[in-house]
Amino acid sequence: QVQLVESGGGSVQAGGSLRLSCGAAGYTYMRMGWFRQAPGKEREGVAVIYPGGGATYYADSVKGRFTISLDNAENTLYLQMNSLKPEDTAMYYCAADCFRTFGGDTWAANYWGQGTQVTVSS
């Protein structure tokens, strides 16, 4: 059974940094990822890491600012977020068994954490 528990959200000023953590169980050989959902918007895939940790995907809006990593020894998924902007404000979700939707334009997942709020003020 897959279990995901996020932590590390909070409030920060624009330009600041936060690191999200996700304690994971039962995720072996799955693509792991971070998604976010802002009020009034659809949930979007922010970053995905493939099994083995070699390949990654980043949404264009976060490329060069966010870094996803997976520590298999600690069973923890991370999202390092730098140079945060007010538009990064959202509920962030850890996810397992991520996949591209039909057409390949968006990501979805079969397992979700409960979410952690990130608020960036200008």
Side-chain angles (χ1 to χ4, degrees):
Q1 183 176 357
V2 177
Q3 294 183 322
L4 305 168
V5 180
E6 302 99 331
S7 61
S11 298
V12 65
Q13 289 192 326
S17 298
L18 282 174
R19 188 176 78 159
L20 305 183
S21 300
C22 174
Y27 66 92
T28 308
Y29 303 122
M30 293 182 182
R31 297 173 197 168
M32 303 290 290
W34 289 96
F35 290 68
R36 67 185 180 187
Q37 187 168 21
K41 294 188 177 181
E42 292 187 356
R43 189 174 298 188
E44 64 170 340
V46 173
V48 175
I49 188 165
Y50 285 62
T56 55
Y57 157 88
Y58 292 96
D60 287 343
S61 57
V62 306
K63 280 180 182 176
R65 300 188 298 122
F66 290 12
T67 302
I68 188 171
S69 61
L70 177 62
D71 186 335
N72 285 307
E74 296 293 329
N75 294 322
T76 303
L77 180 72
Y78 297 101
L79 185 68
Q80 178 67 44
M81 305 185 294
N82 298 328
S83 303
L84 283 161
K85 304 176 181 180
E87 50 264 45
D88 294 319
T89 295
M91 184 71 77
Y92 283 71
Y93 297 89
C94 174
D97 199 16
C98 303
F99 57 93
R100 284 190 181 273
T101 58
F102 184 77
D105 292 336
T106 60
W107 285 86
N110 287 317
Y111 302 97
W112 301 94
Q114 81 286 355
T116 186
Q117 178 68 38
V118 171
T119 302
V120 184
S121 58
S122 58

